[in-house]
Amino acid sequence: MAADAELKLDDVDRAILAELTSDGRQSVTTVAQKVHVSRAHAYSRIAKLQDAGVITRYTVVIDPVKTGLKASAYVTLKLRQHSWRELRDHLASIPEVHHIGLVGGNFDVILLVRAKDNLDLRRVVFEELQALPTVLDTQTLLIFEDTDTR
């Protein structure tokens, strides 16, 4: 199945995804036991979900403050028309940018920016983002507290 085709998910697929979302380090055997299917069946389902692009990668969720990133903000960008494609790769190359979303509404892009402190956050916004020729306007929304729900 092509990675861009939509896969019809059933209850077993959803249960497997929930298990892997809560702990991606679980063995296939553990996932199978929790979902009440055989190990072989869980393995084939996981492979199918990966092949279809439903599971795109396995990762670790960290506490940014404990890793020294003590300042976080959502930064919105208004862009020149038709500049998204050229800008996307550049934004992804900025180490402090942790998430990029192309959105509709009063702005075009929303970024999750994490920095060492407010001075470093200021540098990213003023020197990295506002300096981009395709960026017309920015707004910075400081994050006072993060709660990860996944």
Side-chain angles (χ1 to χ4, degrees):
M1 169 179 276
D4 58 348
E6 185 176 336
L7 179 67
K8 300 284 186 203
L9 300 178
D10 63 15
D11 290 341
V12 172
D13 293 323
R14 285 184 179 77
I16 289 171
L17 291 172
E19 284 301 324
L20 290 175
T21 299
S22 71
D23 181 2
R25 294 180 58 185
Q26 294 181 75
S27 69
V28 175
T29 301
T30 301
V31 171
Q33 290 169 347
K34 290 180 177 180
V35 176
H36 308 292
V37 295
S38 71
R39 183 193 177 287
H41 190 69
Y43 184 85
S44 69
R45 289 289 188 111
I46 292 169
K48 177 184 77 168
L49 292 165
Q50 289 172 329
D51 291 345
V54 174
I55 297 173
T56 58
R57 64 187 169 129
Y58 294 86
T59 188
V60 172
V61 178
I62 62 164
D63 181 328
V65 173
K66 290 181 180 176
T67 63
L69 301 175
K70 296 179 178 157
S72 296
Y74 290 107
V75 180
T76 66
L77 310 176
K78 280 190 180 184
L79 307 179
R80 281 203 173 87
Q81 196 168 5
H82 307 297
S83 64
W84 166 243
R85 283 176 178 59
E86 67 185 75
L87 184 63
R88 178 180 47 206
D89 291 338
H90 182 77
L91 292 173
S93 74
I94 299 172
E96 294 84 3
V97 173
H98 287 247
H99 180 82
I100 304 167
L102 179 65
V103 297
N106 293 331
F107 47 87
D108 303 304
V109 175
I110 189 165
L111 308 174
L112 172 58
V113 178
R114 298 198 186 275
K116 295 182 296 191
D117 53 32
N118 283 341
L119 190 61
D120 192 37
L121 181 61
R122 181 185 187 283
R123 177 196 59 78
V124 172
V125 172
F126 289 140
E127 296 175 22
E128 300 264 357
L129 301 175
Q130 288 182 356
L132 295 168
T134 58
V135 174
L136 300 174
D137 187 31
T138 67
Q139 286 192 2
T140 302
L141 305 152
L142 292 176
I143 299 171
F144 296 124
E145 185 176 327
D146 266 325
T147 303
D148 189 356
T149 62
R150 299 279 171 198

